[in-house]
Amino acid sequence: MVKNQMDKKIILSVVAVAIGVITLLLMMPAKDVNIPETLPWKISHPSPDTTRVFGITLGQTTLNQMDHLFGEQAEISLFKTTEGKMLIEGFYDELNFNGLKAKFVITLAVPPAELPAIYQRGLRINGTPSGKRITLSFDDTARVREAAVASITYLPSARLEDALFAKRFGQAEQRIKEKKTGTIHWLYPKLGLDITLGGSEKSVLQYVAPRDFALISAPLLAQGEPLP
């Protein structure tokens, strides 16, 4: 009888602890990344040719440093477009910046001459509608994590209104409409910012250093239609 009572007390104690732990976990807030300048319109320029956003200085901050700052590790791959262009990308599935949830896609400043060899050493190839995505070898993964972040593409989970962008960034210097899709781009060369507005679709913000802005604007100007 005494043993049974002791067993019941032990079981009840374990259950009580488990309930307490579960309650504590449920009360904990969702993971929120809080770093200086975390809002998408907090853009600064440490020098005329550099952009700093989300606490990242493009062309200087490495992917390892970005991982440490965000508290997450980006998923890295080499992407080869259907036109044959190759680039190294990093992907953060979802981060919460002061209540604004978003996905992040970054490109890394890896010399183009190194990309064919990285492609050949790739471990796995996955086809996509717009190209091929290659899983990097262990050594290449470690190497590119020391490369600087060249651009950031910010994909908010919520649909942000056009009026908000106009309020935060002012009038766009140029507005371009893609002929095929009807998507409109607001271009801010001095900020190194391209805002893609897709009507009912969610907006996309792409950040580059101002000196690299032609890499974004030139294809749009060549294939798009300028708007007043």
Side-chain angles (χ1 to χ4, degrees):
M1 178 69 71
V2 174
K3 184 179 184 302
N4 289 339
Q5 290 178 344
M6 290 182 63
D7 289 343
K8 288 181 180 179
K9 288 182 179 180
I10 292 173
I11 293 171
L12 290 173
S13 297
V14 171
V15 171
V17 171
I19 292 173
V21 171
I22 293 171
T23 302
L24 180 62
L25 290 173
L26 291 174
M27 293 176 63
M28 290 176 66
K31 186 174 182 180
D32 192 354
V33 177
N34 288 303
I35 59 175
E37 308 165 341
T38 57
L39 295 171
W41 40 83
K42 292 290 186 180
I43 303 175
S44 62
H45 301 282
S47 70
D49 289 332
T50 59
T51 292
R52 184 172 176 83
V53 63
F54 302 113
I56 305 300
T57 301
L58 300 179
Q60 297 181 14
T61 304
T62 67
L63 178 58
N64 273 335
Q65 291 171 331
M66 188 171 180
D67 284 345
H68 178 74
L69 191 62
F70 283 8
E72 295 284 347
Q73 190 171 70
E75 179 183 336
I76 305 173
S77 62
L78 183 151
F79 184 69
K80 185 176 183 180
T81 68
T82 52
E83 293 82 18
K85 180 181 178 181
M86 291 188 288
L87 64 157
I88 303 292
E89 290 184 337
F91 177 68
Y92 296 91
D93 184 41
E94 186 175 90
L95 295 173
N96 188 334
F97 280 53
N98 294 328
L100 290 177
K101 293 182 179 180
K103 300 180 187 296
F104 285 76
V105 180
I106 65 166
T107 62
L108 296 173
V110 178
E114 296 181 14
L115 298 180
I118 294 176
Y119 178 88
Q120 292 298 325
R121 291 190 294 266
L123 302 180
R124 186 170 61 253
I125 298 178
N126 293 317
T128 73
S130 53
K132 299 176 181 178
R133 193 164 297 281
I134 294 85
T135 302
L136 274 59
S137 69
F138 178 82
D139 289 341
D140 285 330
T141 297
R143 203 160 27 244
V144 302
R145 285 192 178 280
E146 295 298 332
V149 177
S151 72
I152 296 175
T153 301
Y154 174 80
L155 301 96
S157 298
R159 187 182 184 281
L160 303 180
E161 297 297 329
D162 300 0
L164 174 64
F165 297 128
K167 178 180 178 181
R168 294 296 182 180
F169 300 113
Q171 186 69 28
E173 185 170 318
Q174 291 177 301
R175 296 193 309 144
I176 305 295
K177 181 179 180 179
E178 293 185 22
K179 293 179 180 179
K180 289 184 178 180
T181 64
T183 300
I184 296 174
H185 294 259
W186 288 9
L187 304 181
Y188 298 84
K190 294 179 182 177
L191 294 178
L193 172 66
D194 167 24
I195 303 177
T196 305
L197 306 172
S200 60
E201 299 295 326
K202 296 174 183 177
S203 304
V204 176
L205 287 75
Q206 185 175 5
Y207 306 85
V208 297
R211 64 168 179 253
D212 297 328
F213 196 74
L215 298 176
I216 295 176
S217 61
L220 292 174
L221 292 170
Q223 303 175 14
E225 175 187 352
L227 296 176

